Structures are given as C-alpha cells and as structure tokens.
Amino acid sequence: MRLSTAAAVVLLAGSTLLSAGLVASSADDTSADRRGGVAIDSPLRDLAKRVDLKIGTAVDHDAFTNDTTYRERIATEFSSITAENVMKWGLVEPVRGQLDFTAADELVAAARRNNQGIRGHTLVWHNQLPMWLTDGVASGAITPAELRTILRQHIIDEVSHFRGKLYQWDVVNEVIDDNANLRDTIWLQNLGPGYIADAFRWAHQADPHVKLYLNDYNVEAGNPKSDAYFRLAQDLLKQGVPVDGFGAQGHLGVQFGFNTAAQVAANLKRFENLGLETSLTEVDVRMVMPSDTVKLQAQAQGYSVLMQGCLLARRCTSFTVWGYTDKYSWVPGFFTGQGAANLLDENFASKPGYQELQAVLALAGRR
Ligand code: G3I
C-alpha cells in the first residue's frame, strides 16, 4: 500500500505537530483502534506491517548473545535484521579457506524463528577484509588475476551458504567516494571497474531470488554522489547486470541538518523509475554530546524525513536502523564526542525519534 497525495499531506502535517508536542502521543489514543486495529503505541513492526514495509535493525552479535533485553526487544520491535558485522568477509573467513558462519547462522536462525526477514551485509567492501587478503595484495603474493578468482569464490560461497534465507544482499558497499568517483580500493585498482558488474552476476548465479543491492551513505537525496549512483545503475542495467535495488544508508547528524522528505522521495523514485526497488539500510541520527531536548527533537525529525521519504516513494521495501539502542552503537567509537544516535536510550527507553516513527507509520496506515 502506498500513500495518496492527501494522505501524504496529512502525514507531513501530523508529524510536524507531533514533533512540536501539539498532539497527544500514545497511551490515551484509543481512537487508534478505529484506524484498523493497530494502536499508535504498537511496536514498530506491527505499524510497519500495515504499510507493507519491513522495519529492521542491525544486530550486534555480542550484545545479542549476552544481553537478554537487547535480544528480546529485537524480536518484538522489528520485522527484519541485518548482521552489523558477522557476515562481513573479515569475520567469515579470517583464515584463508576456512569459512566460519557460526555467528551469522545464529542470527539467521533466530530471525527465522521470529518470522523476520534478513538483509545480507555485505559482499564487496573495502573495510573489514581478511588480513591474509589485504596483506597478500599489498605484497604482490596475490596477483590481480588471482584476486578476481578469490572474489568470485567468496561471493559464490557466501551467497550459496545463505541461499533462500535472505531477502536482500548488499552486493557492493560504498563503491563511490565523496567526490562522486569510483572509490579507489583494492578492487578498482586490481580488477578495474568491471568488478561491480561481476559481483552482481556472481551473486545472482549463487541465489537467483535474493534482491541484489548497491548500498552507500550520503545518497538519500539528489547530490553529485547519488547522481553518480544513478548513472552507475543505468549503466549496469543497460548491460543486463542483475541489479535489483538501491540502498541509501541514512547515517545522518543533527549538526548537519536534513533533506526534506520530498527530496528523499524524489531521489528514491528516480531509481525506482529505472526498475529498481529501494531501501533505507542503515539509518541513525547522531549528535554532538551531550544530548538535550532540542537535539533529540531534531533527531526525531531526521528519522522522520527518511521514513516519510521511504513511504512517499513507490517501491521502498525496507527501512533499517543501524542499531536501535544507544547502549550499543558504532558512533562514539568513530566520531569523537558524538553519540546518542539511536531510537532508544542506553536503558531501552524510547526517545522522540521512536515516537515519531510510530506516528509516521500510523498516519501512513490510515485508510
Ligand atoms: O571484533 C573486534 C574485537 O575482537 C576487538 O576486541 C575490538 C577492539 O576494537 O574490535 C572488534 O572489531 C570491531 C568491529 O566493529 C566489531 O565490533 C572493529 O574494531 C570496528 O572497527 C568495527 O566497526 C564496525 C564498522 O562498520 C567497521 O568499519 C561497526 O561495528 C559497524 O557498525 C560499521 O558498520 C558500517 C557498515 O558496515 C557500512 N556502512 C557504515 C557503517 C558504519 O560505519
């Protein structure tokens, strides 16, 4: 189900009112039941189901193993999961030729028990590669021809291992740089630009049904980098390469301001017009610490514009947050002095961003 223009206007206006604290939010909203049986304070997965959207989170495998609250909340709140790290090459093949899918398999099994979809992340990236691979390329022990064979084998092995269990795979991650050129990586340097098409072809060969994605950050709205992706997607499709989707990660920061929902929707729609589906794949909204009420409300707006953009597009199929609690987040380790990027705080209490997503989803679900 997608929004009519009128519903979209209601949605935009409603979410603004909610951000400003002008409408009642949750517990007293019995009228929600009259909107089709899902109360506005329902878990996100129940609200998202009514608009045909998978709502996901990245999962930290260590936290999943050791923290019962963390694990249980994933099951109730989300209809999709992405392994935050444990499907990455460096973690599944730390020793050459010895594949270890133990941790990833645990997440996949739990997701299947919880009736959740699984996004695969990620097959070709320039980070978190096995040391034997990067060292081998650097020393010349691995030649370009051998590297191509190794990449092919990696993609075939991993996609085959999860065949039939995942609904989307991030095939290539962050292959365009911040100047909108193909990123200068060991892949481009040794294999030339054709590695991107090859990666999609090999993945398709190993699982013809999973949706195969391009994925990157700072491509939520129109800009030189998303324009470069648009040209890349056009080019790949023209060659008959099996690309199915365009993933905008959605790592935002309160201090930078946000695009509008309409700008996000317009960008996603141009990819959809090529025949692709789209997804928001790694949403979080960080801030300079300490957090305060104003920053948390701005953060809610950041989450809101991405969700609204997704709902206003026609084939935006999943919306995944990159972690859902500030208790476990990659942000403070990567951006000194920043944090509080997630929907729930360190004690699993919901923040304005969470309530905003509930409201936007509830509004989108009105008939
Ligand atoms: O596993 C080791 C552990 O043994 C060691 O004790 C510890 C000490 O630092 O490091 C652990 O590895 C860390 C790993 O996360 C698992 O926690 C790495 O140092 C750390 O660099 C790694 O960070 C991940 C990052 O990707 C790597 O670039 C983040 O968790 C993960 O959230 C982040 O995710 C990326 C997406 O894949 C792609 N888009 C951007 C996004 C955010 O950077």
Side-chain angles (χ1 to χ4, degrees):
M1 199 198 97
R2 282 294 175 256
L3 296 176
S4 67
T5 308
V9 170
V10 169
L11 189 157
L12 287 162
S15 97
T16 307
L17 288 176
L18 190 93
S19 311
L22 298 178
V23 290
S25 59
S26 59
D28 59 347
D29 188 11
T30 49
S31 65
D33 289 336
R34 291 197 293 275
R35 294 187 197 140
V38 182
I40 194 172
D41 59 352
S42 300
L44 297 175
R45 73 180 286 174
D46 298 340
L47 293 161
K49 189 171 182 198
R50 296 198 58 222
V51 289
D52 247 348
L53 178 72
K54 282 202 164 52
I55 180 113
T57 183
V59 178
D60 174 330
H61 180 263
D62 286 347
F64 185 85
T65 308
N66 299 316
D67 184 333
T68 310
T69 308
Y70 176 80
R71 187 168 56 244
E72 289 177 352
R73 193 72 189 258
I74 290 170
T76 53
E77 203 69 56
F78 298 99
S79 52
S80 171
I81 62 128
T82 306
E84 184 174 357
N85 287 299
V86 296
M87 286 189 188
K88 293 170 180 172
W89 196 345
L91 285 91
V92 299
E93 197 181 357
V95 179
R96 188 170 182 180
Q98 292 181 25
L99 298 174
D100 182 1
F101 291 112
T102 313
D105 285 345
E106 284 170 13
L107 297 186
V108 168
R112 284 161 70 85
R113 279 197 301 277
N114 295 328
N115 200 19
Q116 291 163 315
I118 302 144
R119 295 196 83 251
H121 177 83
T122 176
L123 295 170
V124 188
W125 196 22
H126 56 280
N127 280 332
Q128 289 177 293
L129 290 168
M131 212 118 80
W132 59 262
L133 181 79
T134 46
D135 287 353
V137 172
S139 72
I142 296 175
T143 64
E146 194 183 358
L147 184 64
R148 187 165 187 275
T149 307
I150 291 171
L151 179 63
R152 178 178 179 279
Q153 196 59 47
H154 160 65
I155 291 174
I156 303 268
D157 284 344
E158 181 144 7
V159 176
S160 303
H161 180 82
F162 295 110
R163 181 170 38 226
K165 295 184 174 163
L166 313 190
Y167 71 103
Q168 296 173 347
W169 253 120
D170 290 330
V171 175
V172 296
N173 192 43
E174 301 169 5
V175 295
I176 291 182
D177 67 19
D178 297 342
N179 297 317
N181 299 314
L182 283 181
R183 187 181 289 276
D184 188 19
T185 63
I186 63 166
W187 308 119
L188 186 66
Q189 287 160 11
N190 291 281
L191 310 182
Y195 81 89
I196 296 175
D198 286 340
F200 279 95
R201 291 194 175 106
W202 294 327
H204 181 72
Q205 200 179 315
D207 184 346
H209 300 299
V210 66
K211 300 291 184 193
L212 303 178
Y213 268 66
L214 297 157
N215 191 52
D216 213 322
Y217 61 86
N218 284 351
V219 292
E220 292 71 39
N223 60 36
K225 187 170 177 182
S226 62
D227 290 350
Y229 267 101
F230 185 73
R231 290 191 297 273
L232 175 63
Q234 270 181 320
D235 189 43
L236 292 169
L237 291 166
K238 212 180 297 167
Q239 294 174 55
V241 176
V243 186
D244 301 298
F246 176 66
Q249 293 181 1
H251 292 292
L252 307 185
V254 161
Q255 64 274 32
F256 306 122
F258 310 118
N259 293 116
T260 65
Q263 287 168 329
V264 174
N267 184 48
L268 298 180
K269 278 183 185 169
R270 67 174 168 158
F271 286 91
E272 294 173 357
N273 287 340
L274 294 177
L276 300 179
E277 57 172 57
T278 58
S279 286
L280 272 298
T281 57
E282 305 185 12
V283 178
D284 55 18
V285 186
R286 62 187 184 270
M287 61 187 69
V288 175
M289 297 300 278
S291 73
D292 60 29
T293 309
V294 173
K295 290 180 196 171
L296 290 172
Q297 284 180 349
Q299 176 179 60
Q301 183 66 14
Y303 276 102
S304 192
V305 292
L306 294 185
M307 178 59 87
Q308 290 179 39
C310 176
L311 293 168
L312 288 162
R314 283 183 312 278
R315 295 186 64 201
C316 181
T317 57
S318 67
F319 183 101
T320 293
V321 292
W322 205 243
Y324 73 96
T325 163
D326 293 336
K327 190 171 179 184
Y328 306 105
S329 168
W330 69 286
V331 170
F334 280 74
F335 298 102
T336 308
Q338 297 183 47
N342 302 111
L343 294 172
L344 308 186
D345 71 13
E346 300 87 346
N347 301 311
F348 296 92
S350 62
K351 293 157 65 180
Y354 177 84
Q355 288 134 25
E356 179 73 14
L357 289 191
Q358 285 182 312
V360 172
L361 287 167
L363 280 160
R366 287 179 71 157
R367 292 195 166 83

